[in-house]
Amino acid sequence: LIQKLLATIFYIILGVEKSVGWHRSSIERVCDNLNIDISKHVVDTADGHTLTLHRLRFKNHDGIKTYTSSKGKSVLLQHGLLESSIVWVAYGKVSLAFMLLEQGFDVWLGNNRGNAYSSGSWGLWGNNASNWDFQHIAKEDFTSNVKYILKSTNSDKILYIGQSQGR
């Protein structure tokens, strides 16, 4: 109970959703319940921000991470304004990310700068906390995430599904 309270205080003060000791982040706990392995990938943008991509994989009965036959079909799911990657798994087995995994896609979840997963080491209070606008999300974050996925998967294209960023 005390560790959960401290993790909550840490999140509120720093504006960061991170694993603290044995306390896993919200998206990690949701994926655990769905028998999905989630891996974090750190992406640095050209203008100095640190983003987090989440990559999802099913686990088999031995706990070994496996992909179904994705045939090279990587898909980036990008949350909307003021959200994070957890929106893509929040509804469990009827979530889009889960359904795409079942269909064999290599699922990546993006996180824009300034949200709980892409706030850098000091969260919303860090040096770069207010040093950006929404054009940076389109120009830097999107480009950096796509380049990272292309390089990681050795592909020349990916599929993209995104929610509104505002306007």
Side-chain angles (χ1 to χ4, degrees):
L1 180 65
I2 292 173
Q3 231 173 358
K4 285 184 180 181
L5 180 60
L6 289 174
T8 303
I9 291 169
F10 181 76
Y11 173 75
I12 291 169
I13 291 172
L14 296 180
V16 166
E17 172 71 23
K18 294 186 186 257
S19 303
V20 179
W22 58 267
H23 181 75
R24 293 172 54 83
S25 69
S26 299
I27 194 168
E28 290 169 328
R29 291 190 311 270
V30 169
C31 287
D32 285 346
N33 290 336
L34 294 171
N35 200 34
I36 295 172
D37 178 73
I38 181 170
S39 58
K40 282 192 270 189
H41 298 261
V42 176
V43 178
D44 294 316
T45 64
D47 63 346
H49 282 266
T50 301
L51 310 175
T52 299
L53 277 171
H54 290 119
R55 189 178 195 182
L56 306 182
R57 300 177 184 191
F58 277 122
K59 298 177 190 176
N60 66 18
H61 65 281
D62 294 324
I64 299 169
K65 305 165 198 170
T66 58
Y67 281 113
T68 54
S69 176
S70 65
K71 300 175 187 166
K73 296 178 188 172
S74 295
V75 60
L76 170 60
L77 303 180
Q78 186 63 54
H79 63 78
L81 185 64
L82 305 176
E83 295 178 332
S84 73
S85 57
I86 198 167
V87 302
W88 298 108
V89 296
Y91 286 105
K93 291 185 178 186
V94 295
S95 295
L96 181 59
F98 189 86
M99 291 189 283
L100 288 169
L101 274 175
E102 285 187 321
Q103 294 299 312
F105 287 90
D106 179 13
V107 179
W108 295 75
L109 309 178
N111 286 286
N112 289 335
R113 65 184 67 203
N115 83 7
Y117 296 106
S118 290
S119 300
S121 58
W122 290 99
L124 302 179
W125 306 105
N127 291 337
N128 291 331
S130 60
N131 189 21
W132 59 272
D133 59 34
F134 292 103
Q135 291 180 5
H136 287 100
I137 290 174
K139 183 179 176 186
E140 301 293 338
D141 297 6
F142 176 76
T143 303
S144 297
N145 283 336
V146 170
K147 284 180 180 178
Y148 184 91
I149 295 168
L150 290 173
K151 184 176 179 182
S152 297
T153 60
N154 201 22
S155 300
D156 59 352
K157 63 182 177 179
I158 64 170
L159 301 172
Y160 175 80
I161 299 172
Q163 297 174 336
S164 173
Q165 296 296 320
R167 299 183 168 180

